[in-house]
Amino acid sequence: MRRLVILSLMLFGCLSYAQTTVQGTVVDENNEPIPGTNVVLVGKAEGTTTDFDGNFTFNTSEQPPFQLQFTAIGFATNTTEVTSNNQTLSIVLAEASTFLDEIVISASRTPERIFESPVSVERFGLKEIKNTTAESFYGGLQNLKGVDINTNSLTFQSINTRGFATFANNRFLQLVDGMDNTAPGLNFVLGNLVGMSELDVQSVEILPGASSALYGAGAFNGILFMRSKNPFDFQGISAYGKTGITSQEAAGDNNYYDFGVRAAHAFSDKLAVKANISILKGEDWHANSILDLANPGADRSNPAYDGLNVYGDEVSTTLDFDAAAGLPSGTVGTATISRTGYDERDLADYNAESVKTDFAIHYRPFGTDLELIYNGRIGRGTTIYQGSNRYAVSGFSMQQHKLELKNDNFFIRGYLVSENSGDAYDTRFAAININRRWKGDTQWFTEYAGTYIPAYLGGIQQGGLTPEQASTAAHAAARQAADTGRLIPGTPAFQSAFNTVTNDGDLTTGAKFIDNTKFRHINGNYNIAHLIDDWADIQIGGSFREYELNSGGTIFTDSDGPITYNEYGAYVQVQKKFADDRFKFTGSARYDKNEFFDGFVSPRVALAYTAGENRNHNIRISAQQGFRNPTTQDLFIGLDAGAAILVGSAPDNLDRDVRTFNVSQNGQGLIGQSTVDIVGRAAYENAYSLNSVLSGAPEAVNTSVIKPEEITTFEAGYRGQIGKFTIDLSGYYNRYKDFIANVTVLVPYYGTAGDGGLSLLALQNGDRKPYQTYTNSTVDINSYGGTVGVDTKIFGDFDLGVNYTYTELDFDKARFPDFRTNFNTPKHKVKASFGNTELFKNFGFNVNYRWSDSFFWEASFADGDVPSFTVLDAQMNYTVPSIKSVFKVGGSNLLGDEYFTAIGTGNIGSIYYVSWTINP
């Protein structure tokens, strides 16, 4: 027993002797504490972080001397030697001398300098948020190189990189504290409508290009990461208020305001909580184009007029006046007539609003790096979304609830994302069905013809008019007669019909769409470097997701109940430095499986070399494969969008979509029935190519069902410091296989496509319906491009940055006229910034300039040319340390030249604002 006690005491003494303790404080150059600084033992996977006051205590079994490395986002790395036990350190971190010194996590799922990142990465941190010229931090992201923002609404901006952009941008992923911010039913991110308050943003990182090897199918064309402030590290109450005006020719000058509050408190070293709320309100950009894209120059006097932002006039037919009157052919003639439409301003709610709230509890059971987190986010908003039609999204809400357990080496999280479409409705179908509630199509066109025929004949026979003059006068009289009693916006009768239609989810009579879709997601990651004595950085991880589609049959073919399906994946990554840490190898591979498709492996290999005596040049090359699973809408949509029926191509979806159509009089004589039922499968197996019919040579087509899209991408880049200049340039080449695409076909109501008989008569009689199919193209599609950015200081402390982006699509449109890539990206873009964060004490300013080349926009709503545009934004800010406040005055689009980034949206005007931020 005595020996045992002695042995225990000796062991205790050895353990006590082996324990080294280092403590200290980390501050910036203004002696302000830097919470959340990473303190890491060089060469080991051991470390800690500083608390809210910048203090830290680090315990290790390592014996001095050894080195500690201190890193914090926005600051240069500091490495300090520890020479004795119980040493106290006072660390001062300098602001990062260049953006290359800043720390990012997204590129490799582990902290590293931008300078050493194996792929292209852009970062937007606390400094950039303070100095952004845009009215919001999210809008400020468009000043990053290689980043595009398409503005759909004041509260809905869609980010994209490297082309293939629409507002329904399902090629780009957005993660908010690790949670996918995609609306489950819509399949795309609604900008920051239900995202994060700028008071809680610690950093934003953007990876342009494919990232499937680490992040799965959604990270196909790029990925955005928002990382919030930890309440252990950022405590206290913060608030901001912004007010100003939006100015647009169509909408005039209107008030704009945005305010938010953040509260965070650590009750001990084990428990901390935080809560955020932000509210934005303003007048949306009005869309008022009356251009008829199919007939440029036509106005409302044209009998077949179809205005871009005029809805209801899509309902048209060809009237044979001679047949109707029993006259010889050619007496009066025929004409295509459209119903009278309503302007978008009479149908849409332009009161844009975004309300974001979130609450989080952080618990560290042992007061160490092991942390359990609950985070709940609820966002609600009113906006305009442009897809196949323009949708007034009123009262839309989305919720995210997450449980996460993590430490420095692992995390495992599970979360739920659900959406509620609120009072959203389709403005086009609202107009169509308001018209039909007042007067049915058959009656309206009958009255039109009944007035036109005698008016035309009378004009020629009694009025002495030419046929053209008689036709013009007769069309005006016919429309006036058919529109007699039409519901006028602003009247009680119109409002009553509007309310009825927008609360009806049946698109044959209403316009409301219903969506309560959700998905459940679990993912985890484990870095085993500490288990192998940091020989290499090795990470393993995986994920599982289950979708539950629930639109009540208004979007998906789920009228008989919700549709569920799932997908899962796993990955591994190895990262190793060698040759005096000048070479850095990164290799990763991921396997993913969707229940409808075969599994897919996404590999990535990257090699970087740091050159120069001062290690100030970095050259990198990488190659990877990625893939994109078809979205929930690609698989299960079943929607009459007006111009076409949209039918997804999941195996069991083809027979779920069944629709009844009226047959023409001539067709009834052929098949002996007045109606037919068409199953969605016909769009894929019994249809004609749309372009072949339009060209007069109908060609039968069989469309294959959809499968995942693949990408192979190669990238090379250089980052370096040459004197006072920081240079970051990269180039890429993408090769696509099985490109996911929409093909519009014509389904005959009777006969078999290609039979040379009955189906051709169906086309001739107008007994056919356009269907939009979801498939893959065999077309060779490639894209390539590059970016170059140069940053420097001039005239002392003035910051100057210039960047250029080139993007090109390699696709033979002439050979494949039916194929639509939706590339939607300018070939050339130039951006510049000029400013000084300390022009004089506590005063700073910044100016941003953007020029975008013209480009062709194609999307399901409308196609057309987007002209080039130039935008100038600026801001001035003044800091008052005594009240921990920053005051800012700024404006976007100060030149006042209105522009648009997509066909069909409202012109983007100017925003002028003042703001006050407390304890940013």
Side-chain angles (χ1 to χ4, degrees):
M1 179 68 182
R2 182 169 175 267
R3 290 181 180 177
L4 182 60
V5 171
I6 292 173
L7 184 62
S8 299
L9 290 173
M10 291 174 63
L11 180 60
F12 177 76
C14 290
L15 290 174
S16 299
Y17 179 76
Q19 186 79 3
T20 301
T21 300
V22 183
Q23 58 187 4
T25 304
V26 181
V27 298
D28 63 17
E29 293 170 306
N30 295 319
N31 205 36
E32 293 291 328
I34 306 177
T37 300
N38 293 307
V39 184
V40 178
L41 177 61
V42 175
K44 300 287 184 180
E46 298 180 44
T48 186
T49 58
T50 59
D51 62 16
F52 180 70
D53 297 314
N55 299 319
F56 72 92
T57 299
F58 175 63
N59 296 311
T60 180
S61 59
E62 192 79 8
Q63 293 299 299
F66 55 81
Q67 290 183 321
L68 291 180
Q69 187 177 76
F70 299 83
T71 59
I73 293 175
F75 295 89
T77 300
N78 178 298
T79 301
T80 298
E81 186 165 6
V82 175
T83 57
S84 63
N85 188 19
N86 294 318
Q87 186 172 345
T88 300
L89 302 177
S90 295
I91 305 298
V92 178
L93 295 187
E95 183 180 311
S97 57
T98 74
F99 75 91
L100 298 181
D101 293 320
E102 296 178 350
I103 304 299
V104 294
I105 299 173
S106 57
S108 303
R109 284 191 182 268
T110 190
E112 60 189 350
R113 296 165 63 208
I114 289 180
F115 181 76
E116 299 176 322
S117 169
V119 293
S120 296
V121 60
E122 298 294 323
R123 186 183 170 280
F124 203 81
L126 298 176
K127 174 186 173 183
E128 289 76 19
I129 292 173
K130 176 183 176 180
N131 291 292
T132 184
T133 54
E135 68 282 355
S136 70
F137 82 90
Y138 201 86
L141 299 176
Q142 64 192 317
N143 293 310
L144 299 174
K145 65 180 177 295
V147 176
D148 297 309
I149 286 188
N150 291 315
T151 299
N152 196 33
S153 160
L154 187 68
T155 52
F156 180 12
Q157 295 173 308
S158 178
I159 290 182
N160 191 62
T161 59
R162 299 187 177 178
F164 304 105
T166 64
F167 292 117
N169 189 7
N170 42 47
R171 295 171 174 267
F172 192 87
L173 183 64
Q174 180 169 296
L175 299 180
V176 176
D177 280 339
M179 292 185 288
D180 187 347
N181 206 217
T182 299
L186 298 176
N187 299 130
F188 56 87
V189 176
L190 288 165
N192 200 38
L193 181 68
V194 288
M196 187 180 290
S197 165
E198 70 179 52
L199 289 172
D200 202 36
V201 177
Q202 183 171 1
S203 66
V204 178
E205 297 173 21
I206 296 178
L207 293 182
S211 302
S212 301
L214 281 182
Y215 296 100
F220 190 75
N221 228 55
I223 183 169
L224 180 149
F225 302 80
M226 288 192 209
R227 183 168 163 236
S228 71
K229 297 173 181 176
N230 190 302
F232 281 108
D233 302 328
F234 295 86
Q235 299 185 48
I237 296 177
S238 304
Y240 74 88
K242 299 178 187 177
T243 187
I245 62 169
T246 58
S247 181
Q248 185 200 26
E249 183 177 339
D253 295 341
N254 295 279
N255 292 330
Y256 165 91
Y257 70 83
D258 179 11
F259 65 85
V261 178
R262 178 184 187 270
H265 182 68
F267 296 95
S268 66
D269 63 350
K270 295 183 178 181
L271 180 65
V273 299
K274 68 174 180 178
N276 290 274
I277 183 171
S278 61
I279 301 173
L280 180 152
K281 288 189 177 183
E283 185 77 2
D284 218 329
W285 305 123
H286 289 209
N288 66 342
S289 174
I290 58 173
L291 176 68
D292 186 337
L293 293 176
N295 190 7
D299 58 22
R300 295 173 194 263
S301 64
N302 187 297
Y305 173 75
D306 181 8
L308 181 60
N309 294 127
V310 182
Y311 312 129
D313 53 6
E314 301 82 6
V315 177
S316 64
T317 191
T318 299
L319 294 178
D320 186 336
F321 299 116
D322 295 325
L327 298 171
S329 178
T331 305
V332 179
T334 63
T336 299
I337 310 299
S338 65
R339 292 201 63 168
T340 306
Y342 291 98
D343 293 339
E344 181 178 293
R345 65 172 179 267
D346 298 322
L347 302 163
D349 181 1
Y350 285 131
N351 295 312
E353 181 181 50
S354 172
V355 180
K356 296 185 283 282
T357 60
D358 71 86
F359 176 74
I361 303 173
H362 292 239
Y363 178 61
R364 296 174 176 173
F366 309 112
T368 59
D369 64 338
L370 184 66
E371 191 167 348
L372 178 65
I373 302 170
Y374 164 75
N375 183 206
R377 296 182 176 276
I378 301 176
R380 181 178 62 82
T382 296
T383 189
I384 300 291
Y385 157 59
Q386 182 171 305
S388 55
N389 295 327
R390 297 266 292 173
Y391 298 89
V393 181
S394 179
F396 174 90
S397 66
M398 191 168 87
Q399 298 189 39
Q400 296 181 296
H401 298 277
K402 176 185 74 170
L403 276 176
E404 180 175 7
L405 182 66
K406 68 174 186 176
N407 70 5
D408 291 341
N409 300 314
F410 84 96
F411 71 79
I412 182 168
R413 67 172 68 101
Y415 59 90
L416 168 73
V417 181
S418 63
E419 69 179 62
N420 185 317
S421 55
D423 297 321
Y425 60 92
D426 183 323
T427 55
R428 176 169 288 165
F429 275 95
I432 290 171
N433 287 318
I434 287 172
N435 267 340
R436 287 173 176 169
R437 281 189 65 83
W438 161 64
K439 185 181 291 185
D441 293 339
T442 300
Q443 180 184 351
W444 191 90
F445 287 116
T446 299
E447 291 179 1
Y448 191 103
T451 302
Y452 179 87
I453 295 168
Y456 176 84
L457 294 174
I460 291 179
Q461 296 169 358
Q462 292 144 24
L465 302 178
T466 65
E468 183 177 348
Q469 292 172 332
S471 177
T472 299
H475 277 302
R479 185 166 298 274
Q480 182 179 6
D483 277 346
T484 301
R486 182 170 181 263
L487 303 181
I488 304 301
T491 63
F494 175 88
Q495 193 61 44
S496 175
F498 176 84
N499 292 341
T500 300
V501 167
T502 56
N503 282 285
D504 181 354
D506 181 352
L507 292 185
T508 62
T509 55
K512 182 182 180 68
F513 72 85
I514 301 165
D515 192 14
N516 295 294
T517 295
K518 64 184 67 172
F519 66 75
R520 303 170 184 88
H521 188 96
I522 298 173
N523 67 311
N525 183 85
Y526 186 40
N527 190 328
I528 65 173
H530 66 290
L531 300 179
I532 55 175
D533 201 26
D534 296 301
W535 173 81
D537 189 272
I538 302 178
Q539 299 184 67
I540 56 175
S543 63
F544 173 85
R545 177 175 294 187
E546 180 187 62
Y547 292 92
E548 182 180 309
L549 313 185
N550 184 9
S551 72
T554 63
I555 299 175
F556 305 109
T557 56
D558 58 353
S559 56
D560 56 349
I563 299 170
T564 61
Y565 70 97
N566 62 69
E567 57 192 30
Y568 58 87
Y571 62 87
V572 61
Q573 175 179 273
V574 179
Q575 198 168 66
K576 173 70 175 175
K577 289 184 177 181
F578 53 95
D580 193 28
D581 288 351
R582 286 186 178 270
F583 280 97
K584 182 178 182 180
F585 168 81
T586 303
S588 56
R590 180 179 176 114
Y591 174 82
D592 285 274
K593 176 72 173 70
N594 180 291
E595 73 171 78
F596 298 120
F597 310 108
D598 294 335
F600 190 88
V601 176
S602 306
R604 181 179 78 171
V605 178
L607 184 65
Y609 175 68
T610 300
E613 182 179 350
N614 297 320
R615 298 176 181 256
N616 57 344
H617 304 280
N618 183 273
I619 302 168
R620 69 186 189 277
I621 56 173
S622 65
Q624 63 180 306
Q625 285 184 295
F627 78 106
R628 178 168 79 94
N629 277 329
T631 67
T632 56
Q633 293 191 16
D634 294 336
L635 295 171
F636 288 104
I637 196 169
L639 176 68
D640 184 347
I645 307 293
L646 317 183
V647 177
S649 63
D652 63 345
N653 194 61
L654 301 182
D655 298 318
R656 297 171 64 100
D657 188 273
V658 182
R659 299 175 187 272
T660 301
F661 299 103
N662 294 321
V663 179
S664 68
Q665 289 294 328
N666 289 340
Q668 292 178 37
L670 292 171
I671 64 173
Q673 57 191 74
S674 60
T675 64
V676 294
D677 291 336
I678 299 296
V679 180
R681 182 176 296 276
Y684 293 83
E685 300 176 0
N686 185 33
Y688 285 95
S689 158
L690 174 63
N691 273 333
S692 70
V693 174
L694 294 178
S695 64
E699 180 181 342
V701 292
N702 284 318
T703 304
S704 59
V705 296
I706 203 166
K707 57 185 176 181
E709 178 182 337
E710 301 177 29
I711 182 175
T712 301
T713 181
F714 304 94
E715 183 178 319
Y718 165 81
R719 301 183 182 103
Q721 187 76 33
I722 302 176
K724 295 173 61 177
F725 295 91
T726 301
I727 300 172
D728 187 1
L729 62 90
S730 65
Y732 67 91
Y733 181 83
N734 294 334
R735 186 170 62 239
Y736 296 88
K737 178 183 177 184
D738 296 325
F739 194 94
I740 292 177
N742 300 127
V743 175
T744 302
V745 298
L746 286 177
V747 175
Y749 291 170
Y750 38 87
T752 302
D755 59 13
L758 194 58
S759 66
L760 293 180
L761 291 173
L763 297 180
Q764 181 179 325
N765 294 331
D767 290 332
R768 76 284 189 280
K769 186 68 177 180
Y771 273 72
Q772 178 175 289
T773 61
Y774 295 76
T775 185
N776 303 87
S777 173
T778 58
V779 178
D780 291 329
I781 296 178
N782 305 300
S783 68
Y784 54 91
T787 63
V788 57
V790 179
D791 293 89
T792 188
K793 286 188 179 291
I794 61 174
F795 309 132
D797 291 329
F798 287 84
D799 297 307
L800 175 66
V802 180
N803 67 74
Y804 166 75
T805 300
Y806 174 79
T807 312
E808 181 67 282
L809 175 67
D810 181 7
F811 163 64
D812 190 349
K813 181 70 173 177
R815 287 186 58 199
F816 303 97
D818 285 341
F819 186 74
R820 301 164 61 83
T821 64
N822 296 336
F823 191 64
N824 298 342
T825 302
K827 182 178 292 187
H828 305 284
K829 297 188 294 289
V830 176
K831 302 175 184 180
S833 64
F834 177 70
N836 192 318
T837 58
E838 197 82 5
L839 182 62
F840 52 83
K841 188 174 181 180
N842 298 327
F843 178 84
F845 78 95
N846 196 27
V847 178
N848 283 110
Y849 165 89
R850 296 188 304 280
W851 173 82
S852 177
D853 197 5
S854 60
F855 63 97
F856 184 76
W857 176 272
E858 58 180 8
S860 53
F861 180 75
D863 300 344
D865 291 310
V866 175
S868 63
F869 56 85
T870 299
V871 180
L872 186 69
D873 305 338
Q875 63 85 17
M876 300 180 295
N877 64 79
Y878 184 70
T879 302
V880 183
S882 61
I883 57 174
K884 297 183 178 180
S885 294
V886 177
F887 296 90
K888 182 189 285 190
V889 177
S892 60
N893 194 17
L894 294 177
L895 299 178
D897 295 328
E898 296 185 3
Y899 65 99
F900 55 90
T901 58
I903 298 297
T905 65
N907 286 350
I908 302 167
S910 302
I911 301 178
Y912 308 95
Y913 65 90
V914 296
S915 71
W916 177 13
T917 304
I918 303 171
N919 195 22

